[in-house]
Amino acid sequence: MKPWERSPQRRRYLGAAVAAFGLVASLLAVSPAAATPDPGDAPSSGRVTSSQAADDTRAAIESGEIPGVDEIVHSDNVSHLTNIPKQDLKGTNSDLAFQGEYAFAGNYDGFVIYDISRPKRPRIVSQVLCPGSQNDVSVSGDLLFLSTDSSRSDNSCNSTTQPATEKSSWEGMKVFDISDKRNPRYVAAVETSCGSHTHTLAPDRKNVYVYVSSYSPSETFPDCRPPHDGISVIKVPRKAPEKAAVIDFPVLFPDGGNPGGTTNPGVSQTTGCHDLTTFPKLKLAAGACMGDGILLDIADPAKPRVIDRVEDNVNFAFWHSATFNERGNKVVFTDELGGGVAATCDEATGSTRGADGIYDITGKGDKRKLVFRGYYKIPRHQAATENCVAHNGSLIPVKGRDIMVQAWYQGGVSIWDFTDSTRPKEIGYFERGPVSADTLVTGGSWSAYYYNGYIYSNDITKGFDVLKIDDRRTDSARSVRLRELNVQTQPDYR
């Protein structure tokens, strides 16, 4: 028996029909275990704000400056087609991946597979209970990859929380066979240093290479001790995924990276990476690594190497994620100021902190450089009870222009144009009013991605949203059809 098969309960599914939404669901019949939050994208049950902040929020709602609690608003060129609320998985919704007519949605309690063959009426195909934040998700062929970055009692899907100070605790990557979408099968588990906060695929024909990002080591953690200045590389043979294993831990920051702290106040110390995006066609990757942004050569996917590195010790607090433009000569880096649980889309924070940083890539080969050009932040101020900051987004594959859609937590979903790197501008948006007018409750869109003509958003608390943009500036993207999309493995849309 494999270690990931140690629970006889894990494979027992409960079928359920939810007539109100026409959903077909299957769920592992074990009670959900609460996931342990981690730094960065941690959920929050609610934090009391000052009475003045609550008064200001209610006043802003009454005056029409912001939408009312849970009220939906959007630009004229964006339509909200539908929403599927959370069903059996009650944890925090996280990332999204796509394949054919299916969307795969991460949740801190497991993952959900949606049939999106009719985008206006998606339905749940299966729900898999497998707790472990963040449950970042990717797919490749018949394989689904799931990140665990919370310390668990073991690698099974009915594990419980356990302190990282205990040597027996487990964190890392899980691999599922999804050839049967109604009955995903857990086939492999790989423990990685400091767990797997996020992961990124660099696939080839025979193998899938997985770059595992993790951070925040401690001398008290037996499996996550400093220094932790790199990423784990896992090799997964497509025909024998049970043989998945870590093959290397390339050190990306030989000098330790950004020291943060007293040297660079307000900036995170680099102790690993938060997220990487690969561009396999160009053999490039971009890394958002806490206090640093990096450009990597992945000509040998088993041995990524850094070719340039940048810092922004004035406006960036935590380098969170990266997106290439279609030609691969620009990178948009996001800054997760406040860890995603703070209200940073307000006048006091300003337009350059908690924003996107736009960098052009200049030069050739190993002489390529990341050159800063401008910042982008949503132009609508949010309330003091709304967590809001730049989060996960993707390109809208428009011919001749650089346009992307992006999640901003309770700032909603923003569609913006960065064709001119120095003058980015919003061209459409969708958002809900605050989850609460009295307390800061973490919510909003975690990921918002464009896939085959529609925008899909995984809202932390509200569930799965489907949007559509009708705009001459984005119309050409409708002709682009993909068979698979993991946004952190950027396709060659051309």
Side-chain angles (χ1 to χ4, degrees), residues 35 321 401 407 418 479:
S321 53
R401 302 192 69 82
F418 62 105
S479 63

Side-chain angles (χ1 to χ4, degrees), residues 191-213:
E191 187 170 14
T192 54
S193 176
C194 299
S196 175
H197 195 70
T198 65
H199 67 271
T200 304
L201 306 185
D204 64 20
R205 291 183 179 180
K206 294 183 178 180
N207 306 293
V208 181
Y209 293 93
V210 185
Y211 299 149
V212 175
S213 296

Side-chain angles (χ1 to χ4, degrees), residues 2-7 10 130-132 148 150-163 166-174 186 189 191:
K2 304 297 184 187
W4 51 89
E5 297 174 334
R6 58 177 63 151
S7 168
R10 186 186 60 75
C130 197
T148 300
S150 57
S151 184
R152 313 297 300 178
S153 57
D154 57 46
N155 60 13
S156 70
C157 279
N158 67 332
S159 65
T160 57
T161 57
Q162 181 170 290
E166 295 188 23
K167 176 62 178 174
S168 63
S169 295
W170 185 90
E171 300 178 60
M173 287 298 308
K174 296 168 182 169
Y186 189 4
E191 187 170 14

Side-chain angles (χ1 to χ4, degrees), residues 4 27 79 107 110 174 188 206 212 237 299-300 310 377-378 415 431 456 461:
W4 51 89
L27 175 69
S79 303
N107 178 285
K174 296 168 182 169
K206 294 183 178 180
V212 175
D300 181 350
V310 290
K377 193 170 182 180
I378 56 172
I415 301 162
E431 69 167 295
Y456 298 90
T461 60

Side-chain angles (χ1 to χ4, degrees), residues 289-418:
C289 302
M290 304 181 73
D292 295 89
I294 56 176
L295 187 67
L296 303 101
D297 182 303
I298 57 167
D300 181 350
K303 295 185 180 298
R305 59 186 182 86
V306 177
I307 56 178
D308 195 29
R309 170 179 155 194
V310 290
E311 295 178 354
D312 181 344
N313 296 318
V314 176
N315 286 309
F316 262 50
F318 188 95
W319 295 67
H320 177 275
S321 53
T323 302
F324 288 96
N325 69 336
E326 190 170 340
R327 289 173 293 168
N329 59 5
K330 298 179 185 179
V331 182
V332 174
F333 289 102
T334 68
D335 174 24
E336 195 181 44
L337 176 67
V341 295
T344 66
C345 297
D346 54 15
E347 186 175 4
T349 305
S351 61
T352 57
R353 301 197 68 236
D356 296 320
I358 305 163
Y359 288 75
D360 286 355
I361 299 174
T362 64
K364 296 182 179 179
D366 285 355
K367 294 184 179 181
R368 283 173 286 194
K369 297 292 181 183
L370 292 165
V371 180
F372 174 75
R373 297 300 190 198
Y375 294 107
Y376 171 76
K377 193 170 182 180
I378 56 172
R380 300 172 309 287
H381 289 157
Q382 307 297 305
T385 63
E386 293 181 284
N387 63 302
C388 175
V389 79
H391 217 242
N392 294 348
S394 77
L395 285 186
I396 298 180
V398 176
K399 185 176 181 179
R401 302 192 69 82
D402 298 323
I403 297 177
M404 69 179 289
V405 58
Q406 185 177 4
W408 286 76
Y409 284 144
Q410 287 193 70
V413 175
S414 178
I415 301 162
W416 59 287
D417 187 322
F418 62 105

Side-chain angles (χ1 to χ4, degrees), residues 452-465:
N452 291 354
Y454 296 86
I455 294 168
Y456 298 90
S457 168
N458 211 19
D459 188 287
I460 290 170
T461 60
K462 302 301 179 184
F464 185 69
D465 288 302

Side-chain angles (χ1 to χ4, degrees), residues 163-183:
T165 52
E166 295 188 23
K167 176 62 178 174
S168 63
S169 295
W170 185 90
E171 300 178 60
M173 287 298 308
K174 296 168 182 169
V175 184
F176 290 77
D177 183 316
I178 54 168
S179 53
D180 180 354
K181 304 296 189 293
R182 292 179 177 272
N183 188 32

Side-chain angles (χ1 to χ4, degrees), residues 7-15 26-31 127-129 183-184:
S7 168
Q9 289 181 302
R10 186 186 60 75
R11 293 294 310 283
R12 196 163 69 234
Y13 284 82
L14 174 65
S26 60
L27 175 69
L28 291 166
V30 291
S31 299
Q127 301 178 79
V128 176
L129 179 66
N183 188 32

